[in-house]
Amino acid sequence: TDAEIAAGLRASPEMGRVALFAIETKTPKFASLGLVYLTRLTSHDALDPGSFPAVASALRESAEGGDEGVQLRALQCIMAAMQAATVLASRETVLQLLEALLVMTASKSQAISNTAAATLRQSASAIFEFVAATALVAAASTTEQTEHAAA
């Protein structure tokens, strides 16, 4: 199943390292390919949680880069990451991704600036939905524990 494949990929941290190496070359073509690969991994929730800090840092650096194509790919990757529950559960990673978005909203390129602003709005919505869902699960768990204790 897809969940089993994602779990297998998460268990292989080297899968994300390949993308990070491509991004770190600072060559627009390789960086774009690395970002596409990261986007796919994050959209399937298949990224190793241990690699989140390195990924967030690479996305932050891509946000500051001068190549518009790389910045657009970084925005796509950030949006995919903000949809993944494992990423949203990492407060530090979320903060770094939001910081990258804020940097891109100040871009001189109108396309980057507007896309970053839209991605920031969508990310905020995804964060609030995640927090609400987490609170519901916690409330249900507390209620269930209280009922078992009373019985």
Side-chain angles (χ1 to χ4, degrees):
T1 67
D2 286 343
E4 291 168 341
I5 293 170
L9 289 170
R10 263 192 310 276
S12 302
E14 59 274 356
M15 297 301 289
R17 282 192 211 122
V18 173
L20 291 173
F21 288 141
I23 294 167
E24 290 168 359
T25 65
K26 307 284 187 210
T27 305
K29 184 174 183 173
F30 288 129
S32 289
L33 289 172
L35 288 165
V36 167
Y37 184 54
L38 272 180
T39 302
R40 297 253 169 99
L41 286 174
T42 56
S43 67
H44 292 292
D45 209 13
L47 198 57
D48 170 42
S51 67
F52 289 169
V55 168
S57 176
L59 288 169
R60 174 77 160 84
E61 289 176 24
S62 296
E64 294 173 341
D67 187 78
E68 193 170 307
V70 172
Q71 289 178 320
L72 286 171
R73 294 281 184 205
L75 285 167
Q76 290 172 336
C77 190
I78 291 170
M79 192 61 237
M82 291 298 207
Q83 302 298 317
T86 54
V87 172
L88 290 172
S90 171
R91 177 176 288 165
E92 186 63 33
T93 301
V94 169
L95 290 174
Q96 287 181 329
L97 295 176
L98 290 173
E99 183 180 4
L101 288 172
L102 289 170
V103 166
M104 286 192 269
T105 60
S107 173
K108 292 178 184 176
S109 165
Q110 201 69 341
I112 298 297
S113 178
N114 290 339
T115 305
T119 304
L120 187 59
R121 285 189 297 276
Q122 290 174 328
S123 296
S125 176
I127 291 166
F128 284 122
E129 288 174 13
F130 175 77
V131 169
T134 304
L136 286 175
V137 169
S141 175
T142 303
T143 302
E144 187 176 299
Q145 289 173 358
T146 304
E147 289 173 358
H148 285 306

PDB file of all heavy atoms in Angstrom, residues 91-124:
ATOM      1  N   ARG A  91       7.404  21.648  15.335  1.00  0.00           N
ATOM      2  CA  ARG A  91       7.260  23.103  15.490  1.00  0.00           C
ATOM      3  C   ARG A  91       8.421  23.861  14.860  1.00  0.00           C
ATOM      4  O   ARG A  91       8.228  24.850  14.168  1.00  0.00           O
ATOM      5  CB  ARG A  91       7.143  23.446  16.964  1.00  0.00           C
ATOM      6  CG  ARG A  91       7.060  24.940  17.226  1.00  0.00           C
ATOM      7  CD  ARG A  91       6.857  25.244  18.669  1.00  0.00           C
ATOM      8  NE  ARG A  91       5.498  24.866  19.014  1.00  0.00           N
ATOM      9  CZ  ARG A  91       5.066  24.721  20.247  1.00  0.00           C
ATOM     10  NH1 ARG A  91       5.876  24.902  21.250  1.00  0.00           N
ATOM     11  NH2 ARG A  91       3.812  24.384  20.482  1.00  0.00           N
ATOM     12  N   GLU A  92       9.649  23.408  15.098  1.00  0.00           N
ATOM     13  CA  GLU A  92      10.836  24.091  14.570  1.00  0.00           C
ATOM     14  C   GLU A  92      10.830  24.104  13.041  1.00  0.00           C
ATOM     15  O   GLU A  92      11.131  25.128  12.421  1.00  0.00           O
ATOM     16  CB  GLU A  92      12.111  23.412  15.089  1.00  0.00           C
ATOM     17  CG  GLU A  92      13.381  24.143  14.705  1.00  0.00           C
ATOM     18  CD  GLU A  92      13.480  25.543  15.294  1.00  0.00           C
ATOM     19  OE1 GLU A  92      12.981  25.782  16.410  1.00  0.00           O
ATOM     20  OE2 GLU A  92      14.069  26.411  14.623  1.00  0.00           O
ATOM     21  N   THR A  93      10.454  22.996  12.433  1.00  0.00           N
ATOM     22  CA  THR A  93      10.405  22.925  10.970  1.00  0.00           C
ATOM     23  C   THR A  93       9.347  23.874  10.427  1.00  0.00           C
ATOM     24  O   THR A  93       9.597  24.599   9.458  1.00  0.00           O
ATOM     25  CB  THR A  93      10.112  21.476  10.517  1.00  0.00           C
ATOM     26  OG1 THR A  93      11.137  20.625  11.033  1.00  0.00           O
ATOM     27  CG2 THR A  93      10.074  21.366   9.013  1.00  0.00           C
ATOM     28  N   VAL A  94       8.181  23.885  11.041  1.00  0.00           N
ATOM     29  CA  VAL A  94       7.102  24.778  10.600  1.00  0.00           C
ATOM     30  C   VAL A  94       7.554  26.231  10.687  1.00  0.00           C
ATOM     31  O   VAL A  94       7.330  27.021   9.759  1.00  0.00           O
ATOM     32  CB  VAL A  94       5.808  24.545  11.410  1.00  0.00           C
ATOM     33  CG1 VAL A  94       4.784  25.637  11.144  1.00  0.00           C
ATOM     34  CG2 VAL A  94       5.227  23.177  11.080  1.00  0.00           C
ATOM     35  N   LEU A  95       8.229  26.584  11.774  1.00  0.00           N
ATOM     36  CA  LEU A  95       8.705  27.962  11.923  1.00  0.00           C
ATOM     37  C   LEU A  95       9.713  28.331  10.834  1.00  0.00           C
ATOM     38  O   LEU A  95       9.665  29.436  10.285  1.00  0.00           O
ATOM     39  CB  LEU A  95       9.322  28.161  13.313  1.00  0.00           C
ATOM     40  CG  LEU A  95       8.339  28.145  14.471  1.00  0.00           C
ATOM     41  CD1 LEU A  95       9.072  28.195  15.803  1.00  0.00           C
ATOM     42  CD2 LEU A  95       7.336  29.274  14.353  1.00  0.00           C
ATOM     43  N   GLN A  96      10.614  27.413  10.510  1.00  0.00           N
ATOM     44  CA  GLN A  96      11.596  27.680   9.451  1.00  0.00           C
ATOM     45  C   GLN A  96      10.922  27.826   8.089  1.00  0.00           C
ATOM     46  O   GLN A  96      11.312  28.676   7.285  1.00  0.00           O
ATOM     47  CB  GLN A  96      12.654  26.588   9.400  1.00  0.00           C
ATOM     48  CG  GLN A  96      13.625  26.641  10.556  1.00  0.00           C
ATOM     49  CD  GLN A  96      14.673  25.557  10.459  1.00  0.00           C
ATOM     50  OE1 GLN A  96      14.437  24.478   9.938  1.00  0.00           O
ATOM     51  NE2 GLN A  96      15.854  25.841  10.989  1.00  0.00           N
ATOM     52  N   LEU A  97       9.916  27.003   7.832  1.00  0.00           N
ATOM     53  CA  LEU A  97       9.211  27.092   6.556  1.00  0.00           C
ATOM     54  C   LEU A  97       8.425  28.397   6.457  1.00  0.00           C
ATOM     55  O   LEU A  97       8.398  29.040   5.399  1.00  0.00           O
ATOM     56  CB  LEU A  97       8.292  25.885   6.363  1.00  0.00           C
ATOM     57  CG  LEU A  97       9.009  24.535   6.240  1.00  0.00           C
ATOM     58  CD1 LEU A  97       7.994  23.401   6.142  1.00  0.00           C
ATOM     59  CD2 LEU A  97       9.957  24.514   5.070  1.00  0.00           C
ATOM     60  N   LEU A  98       7.798  28.798   7.561  1.00  0.00           N
ATOM     61  CA  LEU A  98       7.086  30.081   7.564  1.00  0.00           C
ATOM     62  C   LEU A  98       8.061  31.245   7.354  1.00  0.00           C
ATOM     63  O   LEU A  98       7.749  32.205   6.648  1.00  0.00           O
ATOM     64  CB  LEU A  98       6.312  30.255   8.866  1.00  0.00           C
ATOM     65  CG  LEU A  98       5.100  29.343   9.049  1.00  0.00           C
ATOM     66  CD1 LEU A  98       4.516  29.500  10.447  1.00  0.00           C
ATOM     67  CD2 LEU A  98       4.054  29.604   7.990  1.00  0.00           C
ATOM     68  N   GLU A  99       9.236  31.133   7.944  1.00  0.00           N
ATOM     69  CA  GLU A  99      10.256  32.165   7.755  1.00  0.00           C
ATOM     70  C   GLU A  99      10.662  32.259   6.278  1.00  0.00           C
ATOM     71  O   GLU A  99      10.799  33.356   5.733  1.00  0.00           O
ATOM     72  CB  GLU A  99      11.475  31.858   8.617  1.00  0.00           C
ATOM     73  CG  GLU A  99      12.555  32.905   8.546  1.00  0.00           C
ATOM     74  CD  GLU A  99      13.763  32.562   9.413  1.00  0.00           C
ATOM     75  OE1 GLU A  99      13.802  31.476  10.015  1.00  0.00           O
ATOM     76  OE2 GLU A  99      14.674  33.393   9.468  1.00  0.00           O
ATOM     77  N   ALA A 100      10.833  31.110   5.637  1.00  0.00           N
ATOM     78  CA  ALA A 100      11.172  31.110   4.207  1.00  0.00           C
ATOM     79  C   ALA A 100      10.075  31.779   3.386  1.00  0.00           C
ATOM     80  O   ALA A 100      10.353  32.553   2.461  1.00  0.00           O
ATOM     81  CB  ALA A 100      11.401  29.676   3.720  1.00  0.00           C
ATOM     82  N   LEU A 101       8.827  31.508   3.745  1.00  0.00           N
ATOM     83  CA  LEU A 101       7.713  32.139   3.034  1.00  0.00           C
ATOM     84  C   LEU A 101       7.714  33.652   3.234  1.00  0.00           C
ATOM     85  O   LEU A 101       7.485  34.414   2.286  1.00  0.00           O
ATOM     86  CB  LEU A 101       6.377  31.559   3.504  1.00  0.00           C
ATOM     87  CG  LEU A 101       6.081  30.135   3.054  1.00  0.00           C
ATOM     88  CD1 LEU A 101       4.836  29.607   3.740  1.00  0.00           C
ATOM     89  CD2 LEU A 101       5.931  30.072   1.546  1.00  0.00           C
ATOM     90  N   LEU A 102       7.980  34.085   4.444  1.00  0.00           N
ATOM     91  CA  LEU A 102       8.019  35.522   4.714  1.00  0.00           C
ATOM     92  C   LEU A 102       9.139  36.203   3.927  1.00  0.00           C
ATOM     93  O   LEU A 102       8.954  37.315   3.416  1.00  0.00           O
ATOM     94  CB  LEU A 102       8.174  35.779   6.205  1.00  0.00           C
ATOM     95  CG  LEU A 102       6.939  35.452   7.037  1.00  0.00           C
ATOM     96  CD1 LEU A 102       7.261  35.511   8.526  1.00  0.00           C
ATOM     97  CD2 LEU A 102       5.791  36.379   6.690  1.00  0.00           C
ATOM     98  N   VAL A 103      10.274  35.535   3.815  1.00  0.00           N
ATOM     99  CA  VAL A 103      11.379  36.078   3.016  1.00  0.00           C
ATOM    100  C   VAL A 103      10.940  36.232   1.565  1.00  0.00           C
ATOM    101  O   VAL A 103      11.206  37.257   0.921  1.00  0.00           O
ATOM    102  CB  VAL A 103      12.627  35.168   3.113  1.00  0.00           C
ATOM    103  CG1 VAL A 103      13.658  35.521   2.051  1.00  0.00           C
ATOM    104  CG2 VAL A 103      13.239  35.270   4.503  1.00  0.00           C
ATOM    105  N   MET A 104      10.239  35.240   1.054  1.00  0.00           N
ATOM    106  CA  MET A 104       9.828  35.283  -0.358  1.00  0.00           C
ATOM    107  C   MET A 104       8.721  36.291  -0.619  1.00  0.00           C
ATOM    108  O   MET A 104       8.592  36.770  -1.740  1.00  0.00           O
ATOM    109  CB  MET A 104       9.440  33.885  -0.847  1.00  0.00           C
ATOM    110  CG  MET A 104      10.661  33.005  -1.062  1.00  0.00           C
ATOM    111  SD  MET A 104      10.308  31.486  -1.943  1.00  0.00           S
ATOM    112  CE  MET A 104       9.949  30.407  -0.596  1.00  0.00           C
ATOM    113  N   THR A 105       7.940  36.637   0.399  1.00  0.00           N
ATOM    114  CA  THR A 105       6.909  37.661   0.172  1.00  0.00           C
ATOM    115  C   THR A 105       7.535  39.025  -0.090  1.00  0.00           C
ATOM    116  O   THR A 105       6.894  39.892  -0.676  1.00  0.00           O
ATOM    117  CB  THR A 105       5.924  37.781   1.360  1.00  0.00           C
ATOM    118  OG1 THR A 105       6.645  38.121   2.532  1.00  0.00           O
ATOM    119  CG2 THR A 105       5.121  36.507   1.552  1.00  0.00           C
ATOM    120  N   ALA A 106       8.773  39.197   0.321  1.00  0.00           N
ATOM    121  CA  ALA A 106       9.482  40.463   0.089  1.00  0.00           C
ATOM    122  C   ALA A 106      10.292  40.439  -1.213  1.00  0.00           C
ATOM    123  O   ALA A 106      11.048  41.359  -1.473  1.00  0.00           O
ATOM    124  CB  ALA A 106      10.401  40.763   1.261  1.00  0.00           C
ATOM    125  N   SER A 107      10.099  39.420  -2.015  1.00  0.00           N
ATOM    126  CA  SER A 107      10.854  39.295  -3.265  1.00  0.00           C
ATOM    127  C   SER A 107      10.536  40.439  -4.226  1.00  0.00           C
ATOM    128  O   SER A 107       9.421  40.970  -4.246  1.00  0.00           O
ATOM    129  CB  SER A 107      10.507  37.962  -3.936  1.00  0.00           C
ATOM    130  OG  SER A 107      11.103  37.879  -5.212  1.00  0.00           O
ATOM    131  N   LYS A 108      11.527  40.806  -5.025  1.00  0.00           N
ATOM    132  CA  LYS A 108      11.322  41.838  -6.045  1.00  0.00           C
ATOM    133  C   LYS A 108      10.453  41.319  -7.190  1.00  0.00           C
ATOM    134  O   LYS A 108       9.810  42.090  -7.877  1.00  0.00           O
ATOM    135  CB  LYS A 108      12.668  42.314  -6.585  1.00  0.00           C
ATOM    136  CG  LYS A 108      13.473  43.067  -5.558  1.00  0.00           C
ATOM    137  CD  LYS A 108      14.817  43.488  -6.105  1.00  0.00           C
ATOM    138  CE  LYS A 108      15.627  44.164  -5.008  1.00  0.00           C
ATOM    139  NZ  LYS A 108      16.971  44.500  -5.445  1.00  0.00           N
ATOM    140  N   SER A 109      10.450  39.991  -7.346  1.00  0.00           N
ATOM    141  CA  SER A 109       9.633  39.382  -8.388  1.00  0.00           C
ATOM    142  C   SER A 109       8.179  39.330  -7.928  1.00  0.00           C
ATOM    143  O   SER A 109       7.861  38.767  -6.873  1.00  0.00           O
ATOM    144  CB  SER A 109      10.122  37.960  -8.685  1.00  0.00           C
ATOM    145  OG  SER A 109       9.153  37.249  -9.423  1.00  0.00           O
ATOM    146  N   GLN A 110       7.307  39.907  -8.705  1.00  0.00           N
ATOM    147  CA  GLN A 110       5.879  39.933  -8.374  1.00  0.00           C
ATOM    148  C   GLN A 110       5.313  38.516  -8.308  1.00  0.00           C
ATOM    149  O   GLN A 110       4.494  38.215  -7.434  1.00  0.00           O
ATOM    150  CB  GLN A 110       5.142  40.778  -9.422  1.00  0.00           C
ATOM    151  CG  GLN A 110       3.817  41.299  -8.981  1.00  0.00           C
ATOM    152  CD  GLN A 110       3.943  42.367  -7.896  1.00  0.00           C
ATOM    153  OE1 GLN A 110       4.934  42.529  -7.197  1.00  0.00           O
ATOM    154  NE2 GLN A 110       2.889  43.127  -7.736  1.00  0.00           N
ATOM    155  N   ALA A 111       5.749  37.642  -9.219  1.00  0.00           N
ATOM    156  CA  ALA A 111       5.252  36.262  -9.233  1.00  0.00           C
ATOM    157  C   ALA A 111       5.633  35.531  -7.950  1.00  0.00           C
ATOM    158  O   ALA A 111       4.805  34.838  -7.344  1.00  0.00           O
ATOM    159  CB  ALA A 111       5.792  35.516 -10.448  1.00  0.00           C
ATOM    160  N   ILE A 112       6.869  35.689  -7.521  1.00  0.00           N
ATOM    161  CA  ILE A 112       7.333  35.027  -6.297  1.00  0.00           C
ATOM    162  C   ILE A 112       6.613  35.616  -5.083  1.00  0.00           C
ATOM    163  O   ILE A 112       6.120  34.891  -4.223  1.00  0.00           O
ATOM    164  CB  ILE A 112       8.863  35.168  -6.128  1.00  0.00           C
ATOM    165  CG1 ILE A 112       9.605  34.487  -7.293  1.00  0.00           C
ATOM    166  CG2 ILE A 112       9.327  34.608  -4.790  1.00  0.00           C
ATOM    167  CD1 ILE A 112       9.397  33.007  -7.393  1.00  0.00           C
ATOM    168  N   SER A 113       6.557  36.927  -5.021  1.00  0.00           N
ATOM    169  CA  SER A 113       5.927  37.610  -3.892  1.00  0.00           C
ATOM    170  C   SER A 113       4.462  37.204  -3.737  1.00  0.00           C
ATOM    171  O   SER A 113       4.010  36.858  -2.639  1.00  0.00           O
ATOM    172  CB  SER A 113       6.040  39.119  -4.073  1.00  0.00           C
ATOM    173  OG  SER A 113       5.411  39.789  -3.025  1.00  0.00           O
ATOM    174  N   ASN A 114       3.718  37.237  -4.831  1.00  0.00           N
ATOM    175  CA  ASN A 114       2.295  36.885  -4.768  1.00  0.00           C
ATOM    176  C   ASN A 114       2.082  35.407  -4.452  1.00  0.00           C
ATOM    177  O   ASN A 114       1.186  35.060  -3.680  1.00  0.00           O
ATOM    178  CB  ASN A 114       1.604  37.243  -6.088  1.00  0.00           C
ATOM    179  CG  ASN A 114       1.498  38.733  -6.283  1.00  0.00           C
ATOM    180  OD1 ASN A 114       1.563  39.500  -5.345  1.00  0.00           O
ATOM    181  ND2 ASN A 114       1.332  39.155  -7.532  1.00  0.00           N
ATOM    182  N   THR A 115       2.891  34.543  -5.049  1.00  0.00           N
ATOM    183  CA  THR A 115       2.761  33.104  -4.797  1.00  0.00           C
ATOM    184  C   THR A 115       3.131  32.786  -3.348  1.00  0.00           C
ATOM    185  O   THR A 115       2.474  31.973  -2.696  1.00  0.00           O
ATOM    186  CB  THR A 115       3.643  32.296  -5.771  1.00  0.00           C
ATOM    187  OG1 THR A 115       3.313  32.667  -7.108  1.00  0.00           O
ATOM    188  CG2 THR A 115       3.427  30.804  -5.600  1.00  0.00           C
ATOM    189  N   ALA A 116       4.166  33.457  -2.832  1.00  0.00           N
ATOM    190  CA  ALA A 116       4.560  33.244  -1.434  1.00  0.00           C
ATOM    191  C   ALA A 116       3.459  33.694  -0.484  1.00  0.00           C
ATOM    192  O   ALA A 116       3.178  33.025   0.513  1.00  0.00           O
ATOM    193  CB  ALA A 116       5.860  33.983  -1.143  1.00  0.00           C
ATOM    194  N   ALA A 117       2.823  34.821  -0.798  1.00  0.00           N
ATOM    195  CA  ALA A 117       1.728  35.314   0.048  1.00  0.00           C
ATOM    196  C   ALA A 117       0.562  34.317   0.049  1.00  0.00           C
ATOM    197  O   ALA A 117      -0.014  34.027   1.102  1.00  0.00           O
ATOM    198  CB  ALA A 117       1.270  36.689  -0.426  1.00  0.00           C
ATOM    199  N   ALA A 118       0.222  33.793  -1.121  1.00  0.00           N
ATOM    200  CA  ALA A 118      -0.863  32.808  -1.206  1.00  0.00           C
ATOM    201  C   ALA A 118      -0.491  31.525  -0.465  1.00  0.00           C
ATOM    202  O   ALA A 118      -1.318  30.941   0.246  1.00  0.00           O
ATOM    203  CB  ALA A 118      -1.182  32.509  -2.669  1.00  0.00           C
ATOM    204  N   THR A 119       0.755  31.104  -0.598  1.00  0.00           N
ATOM    205  CA  THR A 119       1.226  29.900   0.088  1.00  0.00           C
ATOM    206  C   THR A 119       1.221  30.115   1.597  1.00  0.00           C
ATOM    207  O   THR A 119       0.885  29.209   2.358  1.00  0.00           O
ATOM    208  CB  THR A 119       2.635  29.515  -0.402  1.00  0.00           C
ATOM    209  OG1 THR A 119       2.608  29.358  -1.822  1.00  0.00           O
ATOM    210  CG2 THR A 119       3.111  28.215   0.230  1.00  0.00           C
ATOM    211  N   LEU A 120       1.559  31.320   2.020  1.00  0.00           N
ATOM    212  CA  LEU A 120       1.532  31.647   3.449  1.00  0.00           C
ATOM    213  C   LEU A 120       0.104  31.544   4.001  1.00  0.00           C
ATOM    214  O   LEU A 120      -0.121  30.974   5.077  1.00  0.00           O
ATOM    215  CB  LEU A 120       2.107  33.044   3.671  1.00  0.00           C
ATOM    216  CG  LEU A 120       2.312  33.496   5.102  1.00  0.00           C
ATOM    217  CD1 LEU A 120       3.260  32.567   5.853  1.00  0.00           C
ATOM    218  CD2 LEU A 120       2.859  34.915   5.126  1.00  0.00           C
ATOM    219  N   ARG A 121      -0.863  32.065   3.257  1.00  0.00           N
ATOM    220  CA  ARG A 121      -2.267  31.967   3.688  1.00  0.00           C
ATOM    221  C   ARG A 121      -2.715  30.507   3.763  1.00  0.00           C
ATOM    222  O   ARG A 121      -3.365  30.094   4.735  1.00  0.00           O
ATOM    223  CB  ARG A 121      -3.173  32.748   2.743  1.00  0.00           C
ATOM    224  CG  ARG A 121      -3.094  34.260   2.919  1.00  0.00           C
ATOM    225  CD  ARG A 121      -4.167  34.983   2.121  1.00  0.00           C
ATOM    226  NE  ARG A 121      -4.044  34.801   0.676  1.00  0.00           N
ATOM    227  CZ  ARG A 121      -3.250  35.526  -0.109  1.00  0.00           C
ATOM    228  NH1 ARG A 121      -2.521  36.495   0.392  1.00  0.00           N
ATOM    229  NH2 ARG A 121      -3.205  35.297  -1.402  1.00  0.00           N
ATOM    230  N   GLN A 122      -2.381  29.727   2.733  1.00  0.00           N
ATOM    231  CA  GLN A 122      -2.761  28.310   2.728  1.00  0.00           C
ATOM    232  C   GLN A 122      -2.074  27.555   3.860  1.00  0.00           C
ATOM    233  O   GLN A 122      -2.667  26.683   4.489  1.00  0.00           O
ATOM    234  CB  GLN A 122      -2.412  27.672   1.384  1.00  0.00           C
ATOM    235  CG  GLN A 122      -3.278  28.157   0.245  1.00  0.00           C
ATOM    236  CD  GLN A 122      -2.798  27.611  -1.094  1.00  0.00           C
ATOM    237  OE1 GLN A 122      -1.607  27.386  -1.302  1.00  0.00           O
ATOM    238  NE2 GLN A 122      -3.734  27.400  -2.006  1.00  0.00           N
ATOM    239  N   SER A 123      -0.829  27.901   4.130  1.00  0.00           N
ATOM    240  CA  SER A 123      -0.080  27.243   5.208  1.00  0.00           C
ATOM    241  C   SER A 123      -0.700  27.554   6.563  1.00  0.00           C
ATOM    242  O   SER A 123      -0.813  26.669   7.417  1.00  0.00           O
ATOM    243  CB  SER A 123       1.379  27.683   5.181  1.00  0.00           C
ATOM    244  OG  SER A 123       1.999  27.266   3.995  1.00  0.00           O
ATOM    245  N   ALA A 124      -1.079  28.805   6.765  1.00  0.00           N
ATOM    246  CA  ALA A 124      -1.716  29.179   8.028  1.00  0.00           C
ATOM    247  C   ALA A 124      -2.997  28.385   8.230  1.00  0.00           C
ATOM    248  O   ALA A 124      -3.276  27.884   9.332  1.00  0.00           O
ATOM    249  CB  ALA A 124      -2.000  30.675   8.052  1.00  0.00           C
TER     250      ALA A 124
END
